Amino acid sequence: MNEKWDVVILGGGPGGYVAAIRAAQLKKRVVLVEKHKIGGTCSNYGCIPAKYLLHQTKIYKEMKENKNIEGPLEKIKCNWKKVQEEKGKIVERLVKGIEFLLSKNGVEIVRGEGSVKSEKQMVVNTEGGEKILESDKIILATGSRPGALPFLEPNGREVVTSREALEFDDIPKSMLVVGAGPVGLEIGTIYQRLGSEVIVLEIMPTILPGSDEEMANRLERILKQQGLKIYAQMRIETCSIKEGRVSLKGSSLETQSPFEFEAEKVLLATGRRPNTEGLAGKDMELHLDEQGFVKVNSMMETSIPGVYAIGDMIGGYLLAHKASHEGIVASENASGLKAEMSYKALPMAVYTEPEFSSVGLTEEESKKRGIKIQAGLFSLQASGRALTLGRQEGMVKIIADAKDEVIGAHILAPNASEFISEIILAMNKGLKIQDVSSSIHIHPTLSEAVMEAAMKSKNQAIHVLNL
Ligand SMILES: Cc1cc2nc3c(=O)[nH]c(=O)nc-3n(C[C@H](O)[C@H](O)[C@H](O)COP(=O)(O)OP(=O)(O)OC[C@H]3O[C@@H](n4cnc5c(N)ncnc54)[C@H](O)[C@@H]3O)c2cc1C
């Protein structure tokens, strides 16, 4: 006999497992189908391993560059094997923790590859054979995988994706990073800190395309000072591999002149593709967009009633916290509540040093939409806390509309991803820029720069001149 459930969820990444816990909280009988590892890309091959390697290499670099430490600094080495082992342990611990939470919430896990058979049926190929799960509602959360270019396919050796790049046994002497998005910049930074010669090639005019231009340009300058070589407007046309070395050839979109770069490894960081192939039976009308992402409405429901989709597989910003929030919305709707997803205050972060974190509209986007803005800028050169950290190269920008409502913030600072949260809350609750500037911030903190930027938008900043 087929097993019956209230909600079946396909995919145990940050979208799927959060959806499972939320549906279980709402007293639903929930089963989560996962073909590989609970925690998905984020916990196993993305956010968490990348941030561990970034943190370890940051300590290593800071130690080597700290002028106040005496002794034979050249003797300090990064024990890469140990770092990789520790990274594995952290990932394992995290995944076990998620499995524990799922189990304690009463979520059943079925291991195997699933697909939607009908509106109320999921078929799963398990080790023990085919299993049919009958369910009132279905939530799809199958995520995404690295994309490739027609002439640049990853082979797992010389041409790799982020997954292999985070697991190298040896530190490559040289690396070409194709794509200056968050993944390319973070992994490029890790290996540059370890001594690799890293060259980043981007086809667009700036790094982090679509971000606040002033901030992206500033971050590019900082990363170049740190030793990362970054070239924009570079169109790669061919790739060849000879004796373990990769060569990329192409031409500059700016000057039309040809280029050729060679390295031990090429990291493809040019975006991701949705895992949507073969997901639904032939006679099922699961609508996809031109790139293969599943189309959903604001309640996360697909073109098939009662079937929801969340996370990377529906496109937009491919971020773990986006996937998780969509998971909560989908589960609430699947459980009979009414919830809608809002992307008004969806933040993002790049974990370089300094970090870059952003939420809401940029100056460029506001202008394009015809919104009259007031922007408050505050340089970290005037921040006491930044001075104590030796990191004054950053900046905070807050944008408000003509009615003083906060509509965006862009922060280049150590730990920017942590202290942008007050702006996320402000935007979520429709607060005004004066609400930020009139809140007392602890001294000395980097978050004071947020308050000062808000003050500056009204020419009331204290620690810079209001010219
Ligand atoms: C290097 C890197 C760094 C990143 N850093 C960050 C970061 O710092 N912050 C951030 O917010 N985001 C980050 N991301 C993005 C983040 O990892 C994704 O946005 C997030 O994992 C998406 O969650 P998801 O649940 O939609 O999909 P996934 O995490 O991809 O999970 C999907 C799950 O579904 C399973 N699955 C797929 N098909 C089937 C099937 N047919 N049957 C059964 N199971 C199936 C997969 O095995 C997988 O476990 C990073 C990504 C990468 C690659």
Side-chain angles (χ1 to χ4, degrees), residues 10-17 33-48 50-51 112-115 124 141-146 162-163 166 183 186-187 272 275 279 310-313 317-324 326 349 351:
L10 187 61
Y17 84 73
V33 180
E34 172 54 58
K35 67 174 178 183
H36 189 46
K37 287 187 180 168
I38 293 291
T41 305
C42 180
S43 308
N44 295 287
Y45 313 108
C47 328
I48 299 302
K51 269 71 229 180
E113 182 156 8
S115 59
V124 189
T142 54
S144 65
R145 61 187 185 282
S162 56
R163 184 158 168 180
L166 293 172
V183 170
E186 287 184 5
I187 297 180
R272 296 176 67 87
N275 292 328
L279 206 59
I310 57 171
D312 281 10
M313 71 180 310
Y317 285 106
L318 306 188
L319 294 165
H321 44 276
K322 168 186 159 290
S324 299
E326 289 168 345
Y351 292 73

Side-chain angles (χ1 to χ4, degrees), residues 213-359:
E213 272 174 35
E214 191 179 5
M215 292 296 196
N217 288 332
R218 186 175 270 251
L219 178 61
E220 183 172 331
R221 278 199 302 278
I222 297 169
L223 294 177
K224 281 179 174 167
Q225 280 160 10
Q226 290 173 6
L228 216 58
K229 296 192 174 102
I230 302 174
Y231 299 98
Q233 303 206 58
M234 303 296 264
R235 187 180 54 211
I236 301 161
E237 286 145 10
T238 62
C239 164
S240 57
I241 303 171
K242 214 171 157 191
E243 289 162 8
R245 287 187 72 79
V246 201
S247 155
L248 297 182
K249 286 187 192 167
S251 53
S252 157
L253 293 176
E254 197 183 3
T255 62
Q256 315 311 320
S257 34
F259 67 77
E260 177 173 7
F261 291 103
E262 223 189 76
E264 213 178 286
K265 300 278 182 197
V266 167
L267 166 65
L268 258 177
T270 49
R272 296 176 67 87
R273 285 188 203 149
N275 292 328
T276 47
E277 294 91 351
L279 206 59
K282 275 194 203 101
D283 45 347
M284 298 202 64
E285 296 247 349
L286 184 66
H287 293 173
L288 309 179
D289 69 13
E290 318 76 65
Q291 292 164 298
F293 292 101
V294 178
K295 287 188 184 175
V296 292
N297 62 21
S298 61
M299 296 170 82
M300 312 317 300
E301 199 166 15
T302 68
S303 49
I304 307 169
V307 177
Y308 300 81
I310 57 171
D312 281 10
M313 71 180 310
I314 68 165
Y317 285 106
L318 306 188
L319 294 165
H321 44 276
K322 168 186 159 290
S324 299
H325 269 264
E326 289 168 345
I328 290 171
V329 169
S331 273
E332 292 187 350
N333 288 318
S335 305
L337 302 179
K338 262 205 167 359
E340 264 189 81
M341 186 67 201
S342 163
Y343 298 100
K344 184 174 125 189
L346 174 66
M348 60 75 80
V350 189
Y351 292 73
T352 44
E353 188 58 48
E355 289 183 2
F356 175 55
S357 192
S358 183
V359 61

Side-chain angles (χ1 to χ4, degrees), residues 215 361 363 373-378 395-401 404-411 422-423 427 432-433 436-437 447 449-457:
M215 292 296 196
L361 296 182
E363 279 195 82
I373 60 159
Q374 322 167 55
L377 272 158
F378 188 81
M395 180 169 266
V396 175
K397 183 189 281 188
I398 300 189
I399 300 171
D401 65 13
D404 291 341
E405 198 174 304
V406 182
I407 57 169
H410 311 279
I411 306 180
E422 70 172 293
I423 300 297
M427 285 179 62
K432 294 196 184 302
I433 198 123
V436 178
S437 56
S447 70
V450 173
M451 176 184 72
E452 289 270 8
M455 289 169 156
K456 182 77 173 65
S457 72

